[in-house]
Amino acid sequence: MSGYRRDIGEAHPRLPLSESGGEDAPDVFLDWLAEAIPMVRSLGIQQMQRDGDQLIWQLALTPNLNDKGTGFGGALTAQTTLLGWCWTTLWLRRRGILRDVVVATATQRFRAPVTDDYRMICMPAEANASERLAEQLDQKGRGRISLVQQLWCGDTLCLEASGDYVVLAQ
């Protein structure tokens, strides 16, 4: 997909589901994501991994600095929103579902400055949220899930965010 150019309003081609039917290799998904959403190349994502129901990113602070030498709130907000979108998209892909996902609501609470490389964690807001999303998709063909994101700089919780992500009907 490298070098692919598209016009405003033109959707980027979806990443085909894994032939093995398993999870996407993180580097393959992140490469596709950087093509689909060009600003991803500038976000400093160093690693992506899944741990149970959590999606975790390791990020570099340098590309996200503000004028004070700490994390730029706008970049951090974009990252929390995108991490939730990725959580939902990857959850669908593990189930063999290719569907569009959009963010419906997003909120952030900044608790401390980000002063070094950091990690972001995304997880469902409630223990049974994944099951409810699966039921909604089965019954209505669309669904919504509430996710929370946390940004940790070492042992310090710097940012808490939440968002509702909608899986659109086909």
Side-chain angles (χ1 to χ4, degrees), residues 86-144:
C86 288
W87 188 100
T88 309
T89 298
L90 290 167
W91 182 89
L92 290 166
R93 293 179 61 78
R94 284 195 309 276
R95 285 152 184 78
I97 302 170
L98 287 176
R99 298 284 280 285
D100 286 330
V101 175
V102 296
V103 61
T105 64
T107 61
Q108 299 79 31
R109 181 169 182 244
F110 295 89
R111 301 176 56 94
V114 179
T115 57
D116 202 349
D117 293 349
Y118 53 98
R119 72 186 179 286
M120 284 191 168
I121 302 168
C122 180
M123 66 204 98
E126 298 173 356
N128 61 349
S130 297
E131 293 80 12
R132 279 202 323 266
L133 178 58
E135 290 172 8
Q136 292 171 8
L137 292 173
D138 286 343
Q139 294 172 1
K140 301 177 187 175
R142 58 182 161 67
R144 178 185 292 245

Side-chain angles (χ1 to χ4, degrees), residues 147-166:
L147 300 172
V148 294
Q149 301 89 19
Q150 298 176 332
L151 184 157
W152 293 87
C153 190
D155 293 330
T156 302
L157 177 60
C158 298
L159 169 61
E160 295 174 298
S162 62
D164 287 345
Y165 295 82
V166 175

Side-chain angles (χ1 to χ4, degrees), residues 10-99:
E10 179 184 344
H12 188 75
R14 287 187 173 147
L15 178 65
L17 291 172
S18 170
E19 289 183 24
S20 65
E23 288 197 38
D24 292 299
D27 58 331
V28 171
F29 182 78
L30 286 174
D31 286 346
W32 171 83
L33 189 63
E35 290 287 329
I37 305 172
M39 77 177 235
V40 167
R41 291 182 192 97
S42 303
L43 294 180
I45 302 168
Q46 298 175 322
Q47 182 183 8
M48 179 178 78
Q49 67 185 58
R50 194 170 67 82
D51 182 8
D53 225 7
Q54 296 182 347
L55 184 62
I56 304 164
W57 281 354
Q58 301 292 332
L59 298 108
L61 176 57
T62 303
N64 301 295
L65 288 172
N66 64 17
D67 58 318
K68 296 160 204 64
T70 61
F72 172 55
L76 304 176
T77 296
Q79 290 167 356
T80 61
T81 302
L82 182 60
L83 181 57
W85 182 91
C86 288
W87 188 100
T88 309
T89 298
L90 290 167
W91 182 89
L92 290 166
R93 293 179 61 78
R94 284 195 309 276
R95 285 152 184 78
I97 302 170
L98 287 176
R99 298 284 280 285

